[in-house]
Amino acid sequence: MRICRFITGDDPRFGLVDGAGEKIAEISGDPLYTRIELTGATHLVEDVRLLAPVIPRSKVIGIGRNYADHAKEMGNEVPEEPLMFLIPNTSVCGPDDPVVIPDFVTEVSYEAELAVVIGRMCKDVAPEDARSVIFGYTVANDVTARDLQRGDGQWARAKGMDTFTPVGPWVETDLDIADLRITSSVDGEPRQDGTTADMVHGVAELIAHASRAFTLLPGDLILTGTPAGVGEIVAGQRCEVAVEGIGSMSNPFVADEQD
């Protein structure tokens, strides 16, 4: 089942997306918290504005260096345990939303990732029970200010600024994630082409590890890392990221035009 969040000019609503990704059957309420009921209204995807399918009430948990080839290209070793960092929920935006590059940032990178959506409150989840707390999966771009990442010594600003976590186009609730292709392109030029099969730490391990440290809440996102091929993107360019079995999402990058 594919669940999207969209707007047609009024308040945001949720809907079920058909297999072709063309039609939306509108549903009532928030599927993370209430039973899904069809309203009877339908829409074409091309006629609505897709929003981030979920806005975390609490947090986004990023995982660093979870693909050996990416760790190598960045000059880093693969960590023995999952390397976690927190991203504020205010960084989340949706498909086609502009990623705004602040005027104090000089080097920005894209990172295509599979994102896990947590479905219920949980703590100390065993790896074998991880599937029971997953609501579904979506696509994310873990945008990173490399200059701040190097200078700050930690990653809060580098990855957590407003609009730096595009998510979409919808949540897929039923998906075998063992070997999914992950890609990115900038202005149509291919940049990344990897597979979830190359994750150092799998999704079940990531959920177990994160939930030992933090209580996970419905709507929390876990970004699972990015394959090799990351690189710089500048204002005026557009980045598309995709995960097999879910779909693709693209966002323009723009300069912050402050007076």
Side-chain angles (χ1 to χ4, degrees), residues 67 73 95 140 163 180 186 201 207 249:
Y67 286 76
E73 74 176 351
T163 72
L180 299 178
V186 174
H201 306 286
I207 290 174
M249 161 188 73

Side-chain angles (χ1 to χ4, degrees), residues 28-122:
S28 61
D30 185 333
L32 274 167
Y33 295 95
T34 60
R35 181 178 178 180
I36 291 176
E37 293 186 4
L38 295 171
T39 68
T42 59
H43 309 270
L44 294 176
V45 170
E46 63 184 18
D47 292 338
V48 308
R49 177 188 168 201
L50 291 175
L51 306 174
V54 60
I55 298 294
R57 273 67 166 178
S58 173
K59 56 191 169 294
V60 179
I61 300 171
I63 306 296
R65 304 170 191 168
N66 199 31
Y67 286 76
D69 54 359
H70 171 59
K72 182 178 180 180
E73 74 176 351
M74 301 301 290
N76 297 306
E77 298 293 328
V78 174
E80 292 185 8
E81 292 186 330
L83 174 61
M84 297 190 299
F85 54 92
L86 290 178
I87 300 171
N89 57 7
T90 49
S91 71
V92 173
C93 66
D96 209 43
D97 285 340
V99 175
V100 181
I101 303 174
D103 58 6
F104 55 84
V105 170
T106 61
E107 183 184 346
V108 175
S109 291
Y110 53 84
E111 294 187 5
E113 308 204 8
L114 172 72
V116 181
V117 184
I118 298 299
R120 64 176 176 85
M121 182 184 295
C122 56

Side-chain angles (χ1 to χ4, degrees), residues 111-256:
E111 294 187 5
E113 308 204 8
L114 172 72
V116 181
V117 184
I118 298 299
R120 64 176 176 85
M121 182 184 295
C122 56
K123 183 75 167 70
D124 297 323
V125 179
E128 58 269 24
D129 297 328
R131 185 65 191 90
S132 69
V133 306
I134 297 174
F135 179 72
Y137 306 91
T138 190
V139 182
N141 189 347
D142 182 20
V143 179
T144 307
R146 295 294 180 202
D147 53 327
L148 300 187
Q149 187 179 34
R150 290 190 297 266
D152 287 355
Q154 48 79 32
W155 303 354
R157 278 203 308 165
K159 290 176 174 285
M161 288 183 286
D162 290 356
T163 72
F164 266 37
T165 311
V167 176
W170 38 67
V171 174
E172 174 60 69
T173 62
D174 185 15
L175 187 65
D176 181 355
I177 60 167
D179 186 8
L180 299 178
R181 188 182 183 192
I182 301 178
T183 61
S184 69
S185 63
V186 174
D187 290 343
E189 178 185 341
R191 296 292 180 88
Q192 293 176 278
D193 193 346
T195 169
T196 57
D198 290 336
M199 284 185 189
V200 177
H201 306 286
V203 166
E205 182 183 355
L206 296 179
I207 290 174
H209 191 73
S211 68
R212 290 187 66 190
F214 318 112
T215 296
L216 303 180
L217 300 180
D220 281 356
L221 294 173
I222 299 178
L223 311 187
T224 58
T226 194
V230 302
E232 189 171 359
I233 187 168
V234 299
Q237 294 185 305
R238 177 179 283 267
C239 182
E240 181 175 5
V241 295
V243 176
E244 180 184 3
I246 302 175
S248 65
M249 161 188 73
S250 71
N251 298 84
F253 283 64
V254 302
D256 188 4

Side-chain angles (χ1 to χ4, degrees), residues 10-25:
D10 301 316
D11 293 332
R13 287 166 280 175
F14 289 92
L16 305 181
V17 182
D18 69 351
E22 297 175 351
K23 297 180 181 179
I24 299 171

